[in-house]
Amino acid sequence: MAQKPSIPKGTRDFNPIEVAKRNYIFDTIKAQFQHFGFQPIETPSFENSETLMGKYGDEGDRLIFKILNSGDFLRDFNENLIKSIQTALVNLRKSIDEVDNDEFDFDGFRSNFLKEFPIALRSITNIKFDERLINLNTLSEDIVFRIYNIVLKSNVLREKLYYDENLKFPELTNIIFADFYFQLGNKYVGNYITEKALRYDLTVPFARYVVQHQNEIDFPFKRYQMQPVWRADRPQKGRFREFYQCDADVVGSQSLWQEVEFVQLYDAVFSALKLEGVTIKINNRKILSGIAEVIGAQDKLIDFTVALDKLDKIGEEKVKEEMLSKGISKEGIEKLQPLFELQGDFSEQIEALKAILSVSEEGKKGIEELEFINTAISELKLQTANLQLDVTLARGLNYYTGAIFEVSAPEGVKMGSIGGGGRYDDLTGIFGLKDVSGVGISFGLDRIYLVLEELNLFPETISESIKVLCINFGEAEALTCLKAIKALRAHGINAELYPDAAKMKKQMNYANKRAVPYVVLVGESEMSSNTFTLKNMTNGEQQQLSLEDLITTLQ
């Protein structure tokens, strides 16, 4: 039975028209990136796991696609884990004397076993035991006591090594091996069967790139990058597991003029796409830190911001419930009420925030930064976009330290954010390069596509793959057409020859289905007069032209 063709959920195929529309968006964004002075880079589709893990918070980490190491690594690891346990017990047996069970030194025995196991593991697998990933001291007292009894009663351990075929202790293997896997080992083993992961976004790989190539970069460094990313998310409208991001970042400058330029860049791109009326929402992480300070939740800033970021999705009451579940006090949450009720334009919200954050120096600094950006944009003016302060905007990512951006589609279009970004003062610090401030934004190509489609904003000519199709009447006629096609292409006109000398109706239907605006017919009369008959497929008009006139007409 033939296999039914399919693709994984959250991924898509694109037909030629869809690709043409996507390229229209790519080209428009790229043109604006270049107008603003950004330079292109590319990074690998997958990174070392340690590069990505821990950079996006717990929720983000769960959405990272991990790549299994090649080969039957799990089987090999299982075998080596068993050998390591056995070796540890052999060595342990050499160092203990038979004692009465009533006098069993539980802590001493466990301590000795837990010293021997990492040594054995490293010697057999070359894997250095990482105590940060797994705490062996959580081995239950019952497990350790049973291990002790087996070791004590297995006199054969005095003389045999783990690789001796006659040395069998399935009970011992089952006890420790199962405990390691189900109590501790899943996290530990998982760390070593996957050492690479598909990139989750373009920002963290960019930070890695900056550190790795710091001696080749001129700072401040303005880069743009347009590549796919992958997230193990639940697929739904506008949310995919594989999608493109189009990023622009500046590193090596703390100037707030960069934030001003990014607001202008968003406006320029969406205006060029004729997508008018988008809202550029802005907040500042320092304001969020100040609010957390005011409500006494400084130590729960991430929990607070992750919950607050869901306000538009789940509503005020659910956000409050999540904050309570994360340990934020009821009294603290009550102090947030003015925040939930904040209204007015940008300036009016700023004045209200000044009252709420009057006792927080960090919060006041955030207000100053937002005021600077708003004042500059008010002077410079935006073409079609709107700048809006949204103090509930948190974006769950935990590397933003200053301004936070999120772009929403025009009113009436139900779609998640179509862009976002922010300031990160020390993202490169996680890779060893301290005090390099950066700020960046991202465009969500796939969601922008859906919005343009819904609003019918793609140019009508975007699906034109060729301008003219030459009809094939036979070998001699086809050769004449190909000579003309060569000349047309040299003048920048997309043209092609129908490959087979099929019936006229079939060739014309092909042209109609591909929405080709013109066809060229070359028969015996055209060949004798050295002319070409050009037919307009829209109105049916025909004209007989020389090659020079044909080129001029099609241009």
Side-chain angles (χ1 to χ4, degrees):
M1 182 177 178
Q3 179 181 344
K4 183 179 179 180
S6 64
I7 58 175
K9 290 183 178 178
T11 64
R12 296 150 296 162
D13 290 322
F14 299 108
N15 64 39
I17 294 177
E18 290 169 333
V19 171
K21 291 179 177 179
R22 288 168 64 85
N23 286 340
Y24 165 71
I25 300 173
F26 278 130
D27 293 343
T28 302
I29 295 174
K30 185 186 295 185
Q32 296 302 324
F33 282 165
Q34 293 171 347
H35 289 333
F36 279 70
F38 291 89
Q39 303 175 78
I41 70 165
E42 290 188 356
T43 59
S45 59
F46 57 90
E47 298 271 350
N48 292 326
S49 294
E50 61 187 17
T51 298
L52 304 179
M53 298 299 293
K55 311 304 188 302
Y56 307 100
D58 290 341
E59 290 190 11
D61 281 356
R62 285 194 290 270
L63 300 181
I64 291 176
F65 274 111
K66 296 177 181 178
I67 302 172
L68 287 176
N69 290 340
S70 57
D72 198 348
F73 192 87
L74 184 59
R75 183 199 64 190
D76 295 341
F77 187 89
N78 289 347
E79 292 177 356
N80 288 332
L81 179 59
I82 293 172
K83 290 180 181 179
S84 301
I85 293 169
Q86 294 174 346
T87 300
L89 293 172
V90 168
N91 294 336
L92 187 62
R93 184 65 186 87
K94 296 174 182 177
S95 64
I96 65 172
D97 296 317
E98 293 188 15
V99 295
D100 190 326
N101 286 351
D102 293 337
E103 301 174 12
F104 173 52
D105 180 5
F106 169 78
D107 290 329
F109 181 87
R110 177 168 61 181
S111 177
N112 287 331
F113 175 73
L114 300 185
K115 287 177 182 176
E116 290 291 343
F117 173 72
I119 295 172
L121 182 68
R122 186 162 59 249
S123 67
I124 292 172
T125 66
N126 291 323
I127 293 174
K128 184 177 180 182
F129 193 79
D130 190 346
E131 294 181 355
R132 294 171 299 175
L133 293 176
I134 181 171
N135 179 11
L136 288 175
N137 287 303
T138 60
L139 280 171
S140 67
E141 187 168 329
D142 176 62
I143 291 291
V144 174
F145 190 74
R146 290 167 70 188
I147 293 171
Y148 169 80
N149 276 319
I150 294 171
V151 171
L152 196 64
K153 295 173 183 177
S154 300
N155 292 330
V156 70
L157 290 175
R158 292 180 181 276
E159 303 171 358
K160 302 289 185 180
L161 296 178
Y162 70 88
Y163 52 79
D164 190 317
E165 292 181 0
N166 296 319
L167 181 59
K168 306 291 184 184
F169 37 1
E171 184 181 358
L172 184 62
T173 299
N174 289 342
I175 289 173
I176 307 176
F177 188 77
D179 192 73
F180 274 28
Y181 258 71
F182 298 109
Q183 184 175 340
L184 306 170
N186 279 329
K187 188 172 183 180
Y188 179 57
V189 173
N191 184 62
Y192 291 104
I193 66 174
T194 171
E195 298 168 335
K196 297 176 287 295
L198 294 176
R199 59 172 171 249
Y200 177 90
D201 72 354
L202 299 180
T203 304
V204 170
F206 172 55
R208 189 268 309 153
Y209 175 94
V210 170
V211 176
Q212 190 170 338
H213 299 278
Q214 57 187 289
N215 296 326
E216 309 157 24
I217 292 174
D218 296 318
F219 293 99
F221 179 47
K222 300 178 73 172
R223 86 82 166 88
Y224 75 85
Q225 192 171 352
M226 306 171 76
Q227 290 185 275
V229 299
W230 294 266
R231 296 183 184 178
D233 214 341
R234 184 171 63 86
Q236 53 185 283
K237 182 182 179 182
R239 179 173 293 175
F240 309 101
R241 288 177 173 172
E242 178 187 55
F243 57 96
Y244 266 81
Q245 282 188 339
C246 307
D247 282 15
D249 289 79
V250 182
V251 291
S253 171
Q254 295 182 337
S255 171
L256 288 174
W257 290 115
Q258 305 291 357
E259 277 86 339
V260 172
E261 277 226 307
F262 277 122
V263 173
Q264 290 183 298
L265 177 57
Y266 266 138
D267 180 49
V269 168
F270 290 117
S271 296
L273 290 170
K274 305 295 188 292
L275 184 57
E276 300 179 359
V278 303
T279 299
I280 305 169
K281 298 179 182 179
I282 188 172
N283 195 11
N284 194 294
R285 198 72 170 203
K286 296 182 180 70
I287 286 178
L288 296 169
S289 298
I291 295 170
E293 180 184 344
V294 168
I295 68 173
Q298 300 98 312
D299 60 334
K300 299 184 182 298
L301 176 61
I302 298 299
D303 290 334
F304 163 70
T305 55
V306 167
L308 191 63
D309 194 39
K310 298 176 181 177
L311 184 63
D312 288 342
K313 299 175 184 175
I314 63 177
E316 180 180 330
E317 292 306 315
K318 292 291 184 181
V319 167
K320 290 178 178 178
E321 288 176 14
E322 181 169 333
M323 288 183 179
L324 275 173
S325 70
K326 297 295 184 180
I328 299 174
S329 69
K330 187 175 181 180
E331 294 75 16
I333 294 174
E334 288 175 354
K335 293 180 181 179
L336 287 175
Q337 198 57 42
L339 196 67
F340 293 124
E341 298 172 354
L342 208 59
Q343 293 181 342
D345 61 20
F346 202 113
S347 299
E348 290 170 338
Q349 290 188 56
I350 285 290
E351 292 305 314
L353 283 174
K354 286 179 180 179
I356 296 172
L357 298 171
S358 60
V359 297
S360 171
E361 292 302 317
E362 180 84 351
K364 287 191 284 187
K365 177 64 175 173
I367 291 174
E368 290 175 11
E369 293 180 5
L370 286 178
E371 280 189 303
F372 178 92
I373 297 168
N374 186 49
T375 300
I377 293 299
S378 297
E379 288 289 323
L380 294 167
K381 308 298 182 186
L382 297 178
Q383 300 175 60
T384 62
N386 305 300
L387 182 64
Q388 180 185 100
L389 174 59
D390 183 355
V391 293
T392 66
L393 177 61
R395 294 186 69 83
L397 308 181
N398 59 3
Y399 48 63
Y400 291 136
T401 56
I404 307 169
F405 299 106
E406 186 168 281
V407 183
S408 58
E411 191 173 346
V413 179
K414 292 184 178 181
M415 183 62 65
S417 64
I418 56 176
R423 163 75 62 174
Y424 43 91
D425 276 342
D426 194 28
L427 185 62
T428 58
I430 57 180
F431 300 114
L433 184 60
K434 299 291 184 181
D435 303 321
V436 178
S437 184
V439 59
I441 61 173
S442 179
F443 291 83
L445 172 116
D446 296 286
R447 290 184 177 182
I448 293 172
Y449 180 104
L450 293 174
V451 172
L452 295 181
E453 190 88 318
E454 182 174 336
L455 298 177
N456 196 29
L457 292 176
F458 283 111
E460 291 183 6
T461 58
I462 205 168
S463 60
E464 285 185 5
S465 58
I466 57 170
K467 190 72 171 286
V468 59
L469 174 72
C470 291
I471 301 300
N472 188 338
F473 288 115
E475 188 173 326
E477 293 87 347
L479 183 59
T480 300
C481 285
L482 282 175
K483 290 177 181 178
I485 287 171
K486 182 179 179 181
L488 291 170
R489 289 170 178 168
H491 285 81
I493 300 168
N494 296 340
E496 73 174 72
L497 170 73
Y498 192 85
D500 304 307
K503 291 181 178 180
M504 179 77 161
K505 183 179 180 181
K506 182 176 182 180
Q507 297 190 53
M508 298 299 279
N509 283 340
Y510 177 80
N512 281 324
K513 288 178 180 178
R514 289 192 58 187
V516 180
Y518 296 95
V519 296
V520 165
L521 300 97
V522 176
E524 290 182 3
S525 62
E526 286 85 4
M527 290 179 67
S528 61
S529 62
N530 200 25
T531 58
F532 301 85
T533 298
L534 179 67
K535 180 175 182 177
N536 185 316
M537 295 295 286
T538 302
N539 57 28
E541 291 181 0
Q542 293 188 183
Q543 48 187 323
Q544 201 158 354
L545 304 168
S546 66
L547 178 58
E548 184 177 327
D549 289 339
L550 179 66
I551 292 170
T552 301
T553 302
L554 290 174
Q555 282 181 323

